[in-house]
Short mmCIF file of all heavy atoms in Angstrom, two decimals:
data_model
loop_
_atom_site.label_atom_id
_atom_site.label_comp_id
_atom_site.label_asym_id
_atom_site.label_seq_id
_atom_site.Cartn_x
_atom_site.Cartn_y
_atom_site.Cartn_z
N MET A 9 269.35 -15.56 188.72
CA MET A 9 269.42 -15.23 187.32
C MET A 9 268.04 -14.84 186.83
O MET A 9 267.35 -15.61 186.17
CB MET A 9 270.02 -16.37 186.53
CG MET A 9 271.41 -16.70 187.02
SD MET A 9 272.56 -17.49 185.91
CE MET A 9 271.72 -18.82 185.23
N ILE A 10 267.67 -13.61 187.15
CA ILE A 10 266.34 -13.09 186.87
C ILE A 10 266.02 -13.05 185.38
O ILE A 10 264.86 -13.20 184.98
CB ILE A 10 266.19 -11.70 187.51
CG1 ILE A 10 264.75 -11.22 187.47
CG2 ILE A 10 267.10 -10.69 186.88
CD1 ILE A 10 264.51 -9.95 188.24
N HIS A 11 267.01 -12.88 184.54
CA HIS A 11 266.76 -12.74 183.11
C HIS A 11 266.25 -14.02 182.46
O HIS A 11 265.70 -13.98 181.36
CB HIS A 11 268.04 -12.27 182.40
CG HIS A 11 269.13 -13.28 182.42
ND1 HIS A 11 269.93 -13.47 183.51
CD2 HIS A 11 269.54 -14.15 181.47
CE1 HIS A 11 270.80 -14.42 183.24
NE2 HIS A 11 270.60 -14.86 182.01
N LEU A 12 266.38 -15.14 183.11
CA LEU A 12 265.94 -16.41 182.52
C LEU A 12 264.43 -16.60 182.59
O LEU A 12 263.87 -17.39 181.82
CB LEU A 12 266.65 -17.58 183.21
CG LEU A 12 268.16 -17.64 183.04
CD1 LEU A 12 268.74 -18.80 183.83
CD2 LEU A 12 268.53 -17.73 181.56
N ASN A 13 263.76 -15.89 183.48
CA ASN A 13 262.30 -16.07 183.60
C ASN A 13 261.54 -14.75 183.62
O ASN A 13 260.49 -14.65 184.23
CB ASN A 13 261.96 -16.90 184.84
CG ASN A 13 262.35 -16.22 186.14
OD1 ASN A 13 262.94 -15.14 186.13
ND2 ASN A 13 262.02 -16.85 187.25
N TRP A 14 262.03 -13.74 182.94
CA TRP A 14 261.35 -12.44 182.92
C TRP A 14 259.95 -12.52 182.33
O TRP A 14 259.05 -11.83 182.78
CB TRP A 14 262.16 -11.42 182.13
CG TRP A 14 262.95 -10.51 183.01
CD1 TRP A 14 262.71 -10.22 184.32
CD2 TRP A 14 264.11 -9.77 182.67
NE1 TRP A 14 263.66 -9.35 184.80
CE2 TRP A 14 264.53 -9.06 183.80
CE3 TRP A 14 264.84 -9.65 181.51
CZ2 TRP A 14 265.63 -8.23 183.80
CZ3 TRP A 14 265.94 -8.82 181.51
CH2 TRP A 14 266.32 -8.12 182.65
N HIS A 15 259.72 -13.32 181.33
CA HIS A 15 258.40 -13.41 180.71
C HIS A 15 257.36 -13.99 181.67
O HIS A 15 256.18 -13.65 181.58
CB HIS A 15 258.45 -14.25 179.43
CG HIS A 15 259.10 -13.54 178.30
ND1 HIS A 15 258.44 -12.63 177.52
CD2 HIS A 15 260.36 -13.59 177.82
CE1 HIS A 15 259.25 -12.15 176.61
NE2 HIS A 15 260.43 -12.72 176.77
N GLU A 16 257.78 -14.84 182.59
CA GLU A 16 256.85 -15.45 183.53
C GLU A 16 256.67 -14.63 184.81
O GLU A 16 255.78 -14.91 185.60
CB GLU A 16 257.32 -16.86 183.91
CG GLU A 16 257.27 -17.86 182.78
CD GLU A 16 258.46 -17.76 181.83
OE1 GLU A 16 259.55 -17.38 182.30
OE2 GLU A 16 258.29 -18.02 180.64
N ARG A 17 257.53 -13.66 185.04
CA ARG A 17 257.46 -12.86 186.27
C ARG A 17 256.20 -12.00 186.27
O ARG A 17 255.71 -11.59 185.21
CB ARG A 17 258.69 -11.98 186.40
CG ARG A 17 259.96 -12.77 186.61
CD ARG A 17 261.17 -11.88 186.75
NE ARG A 17 261.11 -11.01 187.91
CZ ARG A 17 261.38 -11.39 189.16
NH1 ARG A 17 261.71 -12.64 189.39
NH2 ARG A 17 261.32 -10.55 190.15
N PRO A 18 255.67 -11.70 187.44
CA PRO A 18 254.49 -10.83 187.50
C PRO A 18 254.84 -9.41 187.05
O PRO A 18 255.97 -8.96 187.20
CB PRO A 18 254.09 -10.86 188.98
CG PRO A 18 255.31 -11.29 189.70
CD PRO A 18 256.10 -12.15 188.76
N THR A 19 253.86 -8.74 186.50
CA THR A 19 254.04 -7.36 186.06
C THR A 19 254.04 -6.44 187.28
O THR A 19 253.14 -6.52 188.12
CB THR A 19 252.90 -6.97 185.10
OG1 THR A 19 252.95 -7.85 183.97
CG2 THR A 19 253.03 -5.54 184.64
N ILE A 20 255.04 -5.57 187.38
CA ILE A 20 255.15 -4.64 188.50
C ILE A 20 254.19 -3.48 188.33
O ILE A 20 253.49 -3.09 189.26
CB ILE A 20 256.59 -4.11 188.63
CG1 ILE A 20 257.55 -5.25 188.92
CG2 ILE A 20 256.69 -3.03 189.68
CD1 ILE A 20 259.01 -4.85 188.87
N LYS A 21 254.15 -2.91 187.12
CA LYS A 21 253.28 -1.79 186.80
C LYS A 21 253.15 -1.68 185.30
O LYS A 21 253.86 -2.35 184.56
CB LYS A 21 253.79 -0.48 187.41
CG LYS A 21 255.15 -0.06 186.91
CD LYS A 21 255.60 1.26 187.50
CE LYS A 21 256.65 1.01 188.53
NZ LYS A 21 257.21 2.19 189.13
N ILE A 22 252.27 -0.81 184.86
CA ILE A 22 252.08 -0.53 183.44
C ILE A 22 252.58 0.89 183.18
O ILE A 22 252.27 1.81 183.93
CB ILE A 22 250.59 -0.64 183.05
CG1 ILE A 22 250.03 -2.02 183.37
CG2 ILE A 22 250.39 -0.29 181.58
CD1 ILE A 22 250.58 -3.14 182.54
N VAL A 23 253.36 1.05 182.10
CA VAL A 23 253.83 2.37 181.69
C VAL A 23 253.40 2.64 180.26
O VAL A 23 253.16 1.71 179.49
CB VAL A 23 255.37 2.50 181.83
CG1 VAL A 23 255.80 2.45 183.28
CG2 VAL A 23 256.09 1.45 181.03
N VAL A 24 253.30 3.92 179.92
CA VAL A 24 252.93 4.35 178.58
C VAL A 24 254.12 5.06 177.96
O VAL A 24 254.71 5.94 178.59
CB VAL A 24 251.70 5.29 178.62
CG1 VAL A 24 251.34 5.75 177.22
CG2 VAL A 24 250.52 4.60 179.29
N CYS A 25 254.46 4.69 176.74
CA CYS A 25 255.58 5.31 176.04
C CYS A 25 255.17 6.72 175.59
O CYS A 25 254.16 6.90 174.93
CB CYS A 25 255.97 4.47 174.83
SG CYS A 25 257.36 5.14 173.91
N ASN A 26 255.96 7.73 175.97
CA ASN A 26 255.69 9.12 175.59
C ASN A 26 256.30 9.49 174.25
O ASN A 26 255.70 10.19 173.46
CB ASN A 26 256.27 10.08 176.63
CG ASN A 26 255.56 9.98 177.94
OD1 ASN A 26 254.39 9.67 177.99
ND2 ASN A 26 256.27 10.23 179.02
N HIS A 27 257.54 9.06 174.04
CA HIS A 27 258.26 9.44 172.83
C HIS A 27 259.37 8.43 172.56
O HIS A 27 259.71 7.63 173.42
CB HIS A 27 258.86 10.85 172.97
CG HIS A 27 259.91 10.94 174.02
ND1 HIS A 27 261.24 10.63 173.79
CD2 HIS A 27 259.85 11.30 175.32
CE1 HIS A 27 261.93 10.81 174.90
NE2 HIS A 27 261.11 11.22 175.85
N THR A 28 259.93 8.52 171.38
CA THR A 28 261.07 7.68 171.03
C THR A 28 262.21 8.54 170.48
O THR A 28 263.02 8.10 169.68
CB THR A 28 260.68 6.62 169.98
OG1 THR A 28 260.14 7.28 168.83
CG2 THR A 28 259.68 5.64 170.54
N ASN A 29 262.28 9.79 170.93
CA ASN A 29 263.32 10.72 170.51
C ASN A 29 264.57 10.48 171.33
O ASN A 29 264.84 11.17 172.30
CB ASN A 29 262.85 12.16 170.69
CG ASN A 29 261.58 12.45 169.91
OD1 ASN A 29 261.39 11.91 168.84
ND2 ASN A 29 260.73 13.29 170.46
N ALA A 30 265.36 9.53 170.91
CA ALA A 30 266.56 9.16 171.64
C ALA A 30 267.75 9.93 171.09
O ALA A 30 267.89 10.11 169.89
CB ALA A 30 266.82 7.67 171.50
N GLU A 31 268.61 10.39 172.00
CA GLU A 31 269.80 11.12 171.59
C GLU A 31 270.92 10.17 171.19
O GLU A 31 271.69 10.46 170.28
CB GLU A 31 270.29 12.00 172.73
CG GLU A 31 269.32 13.10 173.10
CD GLU A 31 269.79 13.91 174.29
OE1 GLU A 31 270.96 13.76 174.71
OE2 GLU A 31 268.98 14.68 174.81
N LYS A 32 271.02 9.04 171.87
CA LYS A 32 272.17 8.17 171.68
C LYS A 32 271.83 6.81 171.08
O LYS A 32 272.62 6.26 170.34
CB LYS A 32 272.84 7.98 173.05
CG LYS A 32 274.18 7.32 173.01
CD LYS A 32 274.83 7.32 174.38
CE LYS A 32 276.18 6.69 174.35
NZ LYS A 32 276.81 6.66 175.66
N TYR A 33 270.66 6.28 171.38
CA TYR A 33 270.31 4.93 170.97
C TYR A 33 269.10 4.95 170.04
O TYR A 33 268.31 5.87 170.07
CB TYR A 33 270.00 4.05 172.18
CG TYR A 33 271.13 4.00 173.17
CD1 TYR A 33 271.08 4.72 174.34
CD2 TYR A 33 272.25 3.23 172.90
CE1 TYR A 33 272.13 4.67 175.25
CE2 TYR A 33 273.30 3.18 173.80
CZ TYR A 33 273.24 3.90 174.96
OH TYR A 33 274.28 3.85 175.84
N ILE A 34 268.95 3.92 169.23
CA ILE A 34 267.79 3.79 168.35
C ILE A 34 266.71 3.00 169.08
O ILE A 34 266.92 1.83 169.41
CB ILE A 34 268.17 3.08 167.04
CG1 ILE A 34 269.20 3.91 166.28
CG2 ILE A 34 266.94 2.84 166.18
CD1 ILE A 34 269.75 3.22 165.06
N VAL A 35 265.60 3.63 169.37
CA VAL A 35 264.51 2.93 170.06
C VAL A 35 263.19 3.01 169.30
O VAL A 35 262.24 2.35 169.66
CB VAL A 35 264.30 3.48 171.50
CG1 VAL A 35 265.52 3.23 172.35
CG2 VAL A 35 263.93 4.94 171.51
N HIS A 36 263.14 3.78 168.21
CA HIS A 36 261.87 3.95 167.50
C HIS A 36 261.40 2.67 166.82
O HIS A 36 260.23 2.55 166.48
CB HIS A 36 261.96 5.09 166.48
CG HIS A 36 262.89 4.83 165.35
ND1 HIS A 36 264.22 5.09 165.42
CD2 HIS A 36 262.66 4.31 164.12
CE1 HIS A 36 264.79 4.75 164.29
NE2 HIS A 36 263.87 4.27 163.48
N ASN A 37 262.28 1.69 166.64
CA ASN A 37 261.84 0.45 166.01
C ASN A 37 261.44 -0.63 167.02
O ASN A 37 261.02 -1.70 166.63
CB ASN A 37 262.92 -0.09 165.05
CG ASN A 37 264.27 -0.23 165.70
OD1 ASN A 37 264.44 0.11 166.86
ND2 ASN A 37 265.24 -0.73 164.96
N VAL A 38 261.56 -0.34 168.33
CA VAL A 38 261.14 -1.31 169.34
C VAL A 38 260.13 -0.75 170.33
O VAL A 38 259.55 -1.49 171.11
CB VAL A 38 262.35 -1.89 170.12
CG1 VAL A 38 263.20 -2.76 169.21
CG2 VAL A 38 263.17 -0.80 170.75
N LEU A 39 259.90 0.57 170.29
CA LEU A 39 258.90 1.22 171.14
C LEU A 39 257.94 2.01 170.27
O LEU A 39 258.34 2.54 169.23
CB LEU A 39 259.55 2.17 172.15
CG LEU A 39 260.50 1.56 173.17
CD1 LEU A 39 261.11 2.66 174.03
CD2 LEU A 39 259.79 0.54 174.04
N THR A 40 256.69 2.10 170.70
CA THR A 40 255.67 2.86 169.97
C THR A 40 255.07 3.90 170.90
O THR A 40 254.54 3.53 171.96
CB THR A 40 254.55 1.92 169.47
OG1 THR A 40 255.14 0.89 168.67
CG2 THR A 40 253.52 2.68 168.67
N PRO A 41 255.16 5.20 170.55
CA PRO A 41 254.55 6.23 171.39
C PRO A 41 253.05 5.98 171.56
O PRO A 41 252.35 5.65 170.62
CB PRO A 41 254.81 7.52 170.62
CG PRO A 41 256.02 7.23 169.80
CD PRO A 41 255.88 5.77 169.42
N GLY A 42 252.58 6.11 172.79
CA GLY A 42 251.17 5.89 173.11
C GLY A 42 250.83 4.47 173.50
O GLY A 42 249.74 4.21 174.00
N LYS A 43 251.72 3.54 173.28
CA LYS A 43 251.46 2.14 173.60
C LYS A 43 251.80 1.85 175.07
O LYS A 43 252.73 2.41 175.62
CB LYS A 43 252.29 1.22 172.70
CG LYS A 43 251.99 -0.25 172.89
CD LYS A 43 252.73 -1.11 171.89
CE LYS A 43 252.45 -2.59 172.17
NZ LYS A 43 253.19 -3.46 171.26
N GLU A 44 251.04 0.95 175.67
CA GLU A 44 251.28 0.54 177.05
C GLU A 44 252.21 -0.67 177.08
O GLU A 44 252.10 -1.56 176.23
CB GLU A 44 249.97 0.18 177.74
CG GLU A 44 249.02 1.34 177.87
CD GLU A 44 247.71 0.95 178.54
OE1 GLU A 44 247.51 -0.26 178.83
OE2 GLU A 44 246.88 1.84 178.75
N TYR A 45 253.11 -0.68 178.06
CA TYR A 45 254.07 -1.77 178.22
C TYR A 45 254.06 -2.26 179.66
O TYR A 45 253.88 -1.47 180.59
CB TYR A 45 255.49 -1.31 177.85
CG TYR A 45 255.64 -0.95 176.40
CD1 TYR A 45 255.49 0.36 175.97
CD2 TYR A 45 255.92 -1.92 175.45
CE1 TYR A 45 255.63 0.69 174.63
CE2 TYR A 45 256.05 -1.60 174.11
CZ TYR A 45 255.90 -0.29 173.71
OH TYR A 45 256.03 0.04 172.38
N GLU A 46 254.27 -3.55 179.85
CA GLU A 46 254.34 -4.16 181.17
C GLU A 46 255.76 -4.08 181.70
O GLU A 46 256.70 -4.51 181.03
CB GLU A 46 253.92 -5.63 181.11
CG GLU A 46 252.50 -5.85 180.67
CD GLU A 46 252.17 -7.34 180.60
OE1 GLU A 46 253.05 -8.18 180.87
OE2 GLU A 46 251.03 -7.64 180.25
N VAL A 47 255.93 -3.55 182.91
CA VAL A 47 257.24 -3.46 183.54
C VAL A 47 257.49 -4.76 184.30
O VAL A 47 256.73 -5.13 185.19
CB VAL A 47 257.33 -2.25 184.49
CG1 VAL A 47 258.66 -2.22 185.20
CG2 VAL A 47 257.09 -0.96 183.73
N LYS A 48 258.57 -5.44 183.96
CA LYS A 48 258.92 -6.70 184.61
C LYS A 48 259.97 -6.51 185.69
O LYS A 48 260.07 -7.31 186.61
CB LYS A 48 259.43 -7.71 183.57
CG LYS A 48 258.39 -8.10 182.56
CD LYS A 48 257.20 -8.76 183.22
CE LYS A 48 256.19 -9.25 182.21
NZ LYS A 48 255.10 -10.00 182.85
N ASN A 49 260.78 -5.44 185.58
CA ASN A 49 261.79 -5.12 186.57
C ASN A 49 262.10 -3.64 186.44
O ASN A 49 261.87 -3.04 185.40
CB ASN A 49 263.05 -5.96 186.37
CG ASN A 49 263.97 -5.93 187.58
OD1 ASN A 49 263.56 -5.56 188.67
ND2 ASN A 49 265.21 -6.32 187.38
N GLU A 50 262.63 -3.05 187.51
CA GLU A 50 262.88 -1.62 187.52
C GLU A 50 264.16 -1.32 188.31
O GLU A 50 264.42 -1.95 189.33
CB GLU A 50 261.68 -0.91 188.16
CG GLU A 50 261.80 0.57 188.27
CD GLU A 50 260.57 1.20 188.90
OE1 GLU A 50 259.65 0.46 189.34
OE2 GLU A 50 260.53 2.42 188.97
N THR A 51 264.95 -0.38 187.82
CA THR A 51 266.11 0.13 188.56
C THR A 51 265.92 1.64 188.69
O THR A 51 264.89 2.19 188.30
CB THR A 51 267.43 -0.17 187.82
OG1 THR A 51 267.46 0.52 186.58
CG2 THR A 51 267.61 -1.67 187.58
N ASN A 52 266.93 2.32 189.20
CA ASN A 52 266.83 3.78 189.36
C ASN A 52 266.65 4.49 188.02
O ASN A 52 265.96 5.50 187.95
CB ASN A 52 268.06 4.33 190.07
CG ASN A 52 268.09 3.95 191.53
OD1 ASN A 52 267.07 3.63 192.13
ND2 ASN A 52 269.27 3.95 192.12
N ASP A 53 267.29 4.02 186.97
CA ASP A 53 267.28 4.70 185.69
C ASP A 53 266.51 4.00 184.58
O ASP A 53 266.18 4.61 183.57
CB ASP A 53 268.72 4.89 185.18
CG ASP A 53 269.54 5.79 186.09
OD1 ASP A 53 268.97 6.73 186.66
OD2 ASP A 53 270.75 5.53 186.23
N PHE A 54 266.21 2.71 184.75
CA PHE A 54 265.65 1.92 183.66
C PHE A 54 264.38 1.18 184.06
O PHE A 54 264.20 0.78 185.20
CB PHE A 54 266.65 0.84 183.20
CG PHE A 54 267.91 1.39 182.61
CD1 PHE A 54 269.04 1.52 183.38
CD2 PHE A 54 267.96 1.77 181.28
CE1 PHE A 54 270.20 2.03 182.85
CE2 PHE A 54 269.12 2.28 180.73
CZ PHE A 54 270.25 2.41 181.52
N TYR A 55 263.51 0.99 183.05
CA TYR A 55 262.42 0.03 183.13
C TYR A 55 262.81 -1.14 182.23
O TYR A 55 263.30 -0.94 181.12
CB TYR A 55 261.11 0.60 182.59
CG TYR A 55 260.43 1.61 183.46
CD1 TYR A 55 260.01 2.83 182.94
CD2 TYR A 55 260.17 1.35 184.80
CE1 TYR A 55 259.36 3.76 183.72
CE2 TYR A 55 259.53 2.29 185.59
CZ TYR A 55 259.12 3.48 185.05
OH TYR A 55 258.47 4.40 185.83
N PHE A 56 262.56 -2.34 182.69
CA PHE A 56 262.77 -3.53 181.88
C PHE A 56 261.38 -4.01 181.46
O PHE A 56 260.59 -4.45 182.29
CB PHE A 56 263.53 -4.60 182.65
CG PHE A 56 264.96 -4.20 182.89
CD1 PHE A 56 265.30 -3.48 184.01
CD2 PHE A 56 265.95 -4.53 181.98
CE1 PHE A 56 266.62 -3.08 184.23
CE2 PHE A 56 267.26 -4.15 182.19
CZ PHE A 56 267.59 -3.42 183.32
N ILE A 57 261.09 -3.87 180.17
CA ILE A 57 259.75 -4.14 179.65
C ILE A 57 259.83 -5.16 178.53
O ILE A 57 260.90 -5.43 177.98
CB ILE A 57 259.11 -2.84 179.10
CG1 ILE A 57 259.92 -2.31 177.92
CG2 ILE A 57 258.98 -1.80 180.19
CD1 ILE A 57 259.20 -1.29 177.10
N ILE A 58 258.67 -5.71 178.18
CA ILE A 58 258.57 -6.53 176.98
C ILE A 58 258.24 -5.58 175.84
O ILE A 58 257.17 -4.97 175.80
CB ILE A 58 257.49 -7.62 177.13
CG1 ILE A 58 257.87 -8.54 178.29
CG2 ILE A 58 257.33 -8.40 175.84
CD1 ILE A 58 256.84 -9.59 178.60
N ASP A 59 259.19 -5.40 174.92
CA ASP A 59 259.04 -4.41 173.85
C ASP A 59 258.30 -4.99 172.65
O ASP A 59 257.73 -6.08 172.71
CB ASP A 59 260.41 -3.84 173.46
CG ASP A 59 261.39 -4.90 172.96
OD1 ASP A 59 260.94 -5.97 172.52
OD2 ASP A 59 262.60 -4.64 173.02
N ASN A 60 258.28 -4.24 171.55
CA ASN A 60 257.54 -4.66 170.35
C ASN A 60 258.07 -5.93 169.71
O ASN A 60 257.38 -6.58 168.95
CB ASN A 60 257.56 -3.54 169.30
CG ASN A 60 256.81 -2.31 169.76
OD1 ASN A 60 256.08 -2.34 170.74
ND2 ASN A 60 257.00 -1.22 169.05
N ARG A 61 259.31 -6.30 170.00
CA ARG A 61 259.88 -7.53 169.47
C ARG A 61 259.44 -8.75 170.25
O ARG A 61 259.70 -9.87 169.86
CB ARG A 61 261.41 -7.47 169.50
CG ARG A 61 262.01 -6.34 168.74
CD ARG A 61 263.50 -6.24 168.99
NE ARG A 61 263.70 -6.00 170.43
CZ ARG A 61 264.84 -6.20 171.08
NH1 ARG A 61 265.88 -6.66 170.46
NH2 ARG A 61 264.93 -5.94 172.37
N GLY A 62 258.82 -8.54 171.42
CA GLY A 62 258.44 -9.64 172.29
C GLY A 62 259.56 -10.06 173.23
O GLY A 62 259.45 -11.08 173.89
N LYS A 63 260.62 -9.27 173.27
CA LYS A 63 261.76 -9.56 174.14
C LYS A 63 261.82 -8.53 175.26
O LYS A 63 261.30 -7.43 175.14
CB LYS A 63 263.06 -9.52 173.34
CG LYS A 63 263.11 -10.56 172.25
CD LYS A 63 264.41 -10.49 171.51
CE LYS A 63 264.45 -11.56 170.42
NZ LYS A 63 265.72 -11.54 169.70
N VAL A 64 262.48 -8.89 176.34
CA VAL A 64 262.66 -7.95 177.45
C VAL A 64 263.86 -7.08 177.15
O VAL A 64 264.93 -7.55 176.80
CB VAL A 64 262.85 -8.70 178.79
CG1 VAL A 64 263.15 -7.72 179.91
CG2 VAL A 64 261.60 -9.50 179.12
N GLY A 65 263.65 -5.77 177.28
CA GLY A 65 264.73 -4.82 177.06
C GLY A 65 264.69 -3.76 178.14
O GLY A 65 263.65 -3.48 178.72
N GLY A 66 265.84 -3.17 178.42
CA GLY A 66 265.94 -2.10 179.41
C GLY A 66 265.96 -0.76 178.70
O GLY A 66 266.76 -0.53 177.79
N TYR A 67 265.07 0.15 179.11
CA TYR A 67 264.94 1.46 178.48
C TYR A 67 264.90 2.54 179.55
O TYR A 67 264.34 2.34 180.63
CB TYR A 67 263.67 1.53 177.62
CG TYR A 67 263.66 0.49 176.54
CD1 TYR A 67 263.03 -0.73 176.73
CD2 TYR A 67 264.33 0.70 175.35
CE1 TYR A 67 263.05 -1.70 175.75
CE2 TYR A 67 264.36 -0.27 174.36
CZ TYR A 67 263.72 -1.46 174.57
OH TYR A 67 263.75 -2.43 173.59
N TYR A 68 265.50 3.71 179.23
CA TYR A 68 265.48 4.82 180.17
C TYR A 68 264.06 5.18 180.56
O TYR A 68 263.15 5.14 179.74
CB TYR A 68 266.15 6.05 179.55
CG TYR A 68 267.64 5.97 179.47
CD1 TYR A 68 268.29 5.93 178.26
CD2 TYR A 68 268.41 5.95 180.63
CE1 TYR A 68 269.67 5.86 178.18
CE2 TYR A 68 269.78 5.88 180.57
CZ TYR A 68 270.41 5.84 179.34
OH TYR A 68 271.77 5.77 179.28
N LYS A 69 263.88 5.57 181.80
CA LYS A 69 262.55 5.90 182.32
C LYS A 69 261.96 7.13 181.66
O LYS A 69 260.75 7.29 181.64
CB LYS A 69 262.62 6.10 183.83
CG LYS A 69 262.78 4.81 184.60
CD LYS A 69 262.73 5.08 186.08
CE LYS A 69 262.73 3.78 186.87
NZ LYS A 69 262.61 4.03 188.30
N HIS A 70 262.79 8.03 181.13
CA HIS A 70 262.24 9.27 180.58
C HIS A 70 261.45 9.06 179.30
O HIS A 70 260.79 9.98 178.83
CB HIS A 70 263.34 10.33 180.39
CG HIS A 70 264.37 9.98 179.36
ND1 HIS A 70 264.16 10.18 178.02
CD2 HIS A 70 265.62 9.47 179.49
CE1 HIS A 70 265.24 9.81 177.36
NE2 HIS A 70 266.13 9.37 178.23
N TYR A 71 261.46 7.87 178.73
CA TYR A 71 260.62 7.56 177.59
C TYR A 71 259.16 7.28 177.99
O TYR A 71 258.29 7.23 177.14
CB TYR A 71 261.12 6.33 176.83
CG TYR A 71 262.47 6.45 176.22
CD1 TYR A 71 263.47 5.54 176.52
CD2 TYR A 71 262.76 7.46 175.32
CE1 TYR A 71 264.73 5.64 175.97
CE2 TYR A 71 264.03 7.57 174.75
CZ TYR A 71 265.00 6.65 175.07
OH TYR A 71 266.24 6.75 174.51
N PHE A 72 258.91 7.09 179.27
CA PHE A 72 257.62 6.59 179.75
C PHE A 72 257.01 7.46 180.85
O PHE A 72 257.71 8.20 181.52
CB PHE A 72 257.79 5.17 180.34
CG PHE A 72 258.44 4.20 179.42
CD1 PHE A 72 259.80 3.97 179.47
CD2 PHE A 72 257.70 3.52 178.49
CE1 PHE A 72 260.42 3.07 178.61
CE2 PHE A 72 258.29 2.61 177.63
CZ PHE A 72 259.65 2.38 177.69
N THR A 73 255.70 7.30 181.03
CA THR A 73 255.00 7.77 182.23
C THR A 73 254.23 6.59 182.78
O THR A 73 253.78 5.71 182.03
CB THR A 73 254.02 8.92 181.92
OG1 THR A 73 253.11 8.51 180.89
CG2 THR A 73 254.75 10.18 181.50
N GLU A 74 254.09 6.57 184.10
CA GLU A 74 253.35 5.49 184.73
C GLU A 74 251.85 5.70 184.48
O GLU A 74 251.35 6.81 184.55
CB GLU A 74 253.62 5.46 186.23
CG GLU A 74 255.02 5.04 186.55
CD GLU A 74 255.25 4.89 188.05
OE1 GLU A 74 254.26 4.70 188.79
OE2 GLU A 74 256.40 4.98 188.47
N LYS A 75 251.18 4.61 184.21
CA LYS A 75 249.74 4.66 184.00
C LYS A 75 249.05 4.73 185.36
O LYS A 75 249.39 3.98 186.28
CB LYS A 75 249.28 3.42 183.24
CG LYS A 75 247.82 3.44 182.90
CD LYS A 75 247.43 2.25 182.08
CE LYS A 75 245.94 2.30 181.82
NZ LYS A 75 245.50 1.13 181.08
N ALA A 76 248.12 5.64 185.48
CA ALA A 76 247.36 5.77 186.72
C ALA A 76 246.50 4.54 186.94
O ALA A 76 245.88 4.02 186.02
CB ALA A 76 246.49 7.01 186.67
N VAL A 77 246.50 4.07 188.17
CA VAL A 77 245.74 2.85 188.49
C VAL A 77 244.35 3.21 188.92
O VAL A 77 244.03 4.14 189.50
CB VAL A 77 246.45 2.07 189.61
CG1 VAL A 77 245.66 0.83 189.97
CG2 VAL A 77 247.84 1.69 189.17
#
């Protein structure tokens, strides 16, 4: 049950939000363009990050670019 300890899990990578222009869902109130977010889990289509609310949420990858290390 990975969702019970997402806040304590190590960060996989850092991503930067590019935009919040969502066609179907409202994300402009939980993501900020230009802000960096910690990725706690990843699937083929989604990043699971700690958003502006302080909660873990799953968001489409096309909102983000990976930060160069």
Side-chain angles (χ1 to χ4, degrees):
M9 301 205 311
I10 190 173
H11 67 281
L12 296 177
N13 64 357
W14 260 338
H15 286 278
E16 292 81 31
R17 294 181 63 79
T19 299
I20 297 172
K21 62 178 105 177
I22 302 292
V23 293
V24 178
C25 181
N26 293 330
H27 65 85
T28 57
N29 302 326
E31 295 176 11
K32 191 173 181 181
Y33 303 103
I34 297 173
V35 297
H36 67 274
N37 54 357
V38 292
L39 297 177
T40 304
K43 185 175 177 182
E44 296 179 356
Y45 295 94
E46 297 178 359
V47 177
K48 296 299 184 174
N49 195 17
E50 179 179 4
T51 65
N52 289 338
D53 296 325
F54 296 97
Y55 287 130
F56 291 88
I57 63 165
I58 299 176
D59 59 22
N60 294 348
R61 302 172 299 162
K63 298 181 180 181
V64 175
Y67 300 96
Y68 285 115
K69 287 184 173 183
H70 66 81
Y71 297 124
F72 306 95
T73 54
E74 291 185 23
K75 184 177 178 183
V77 179

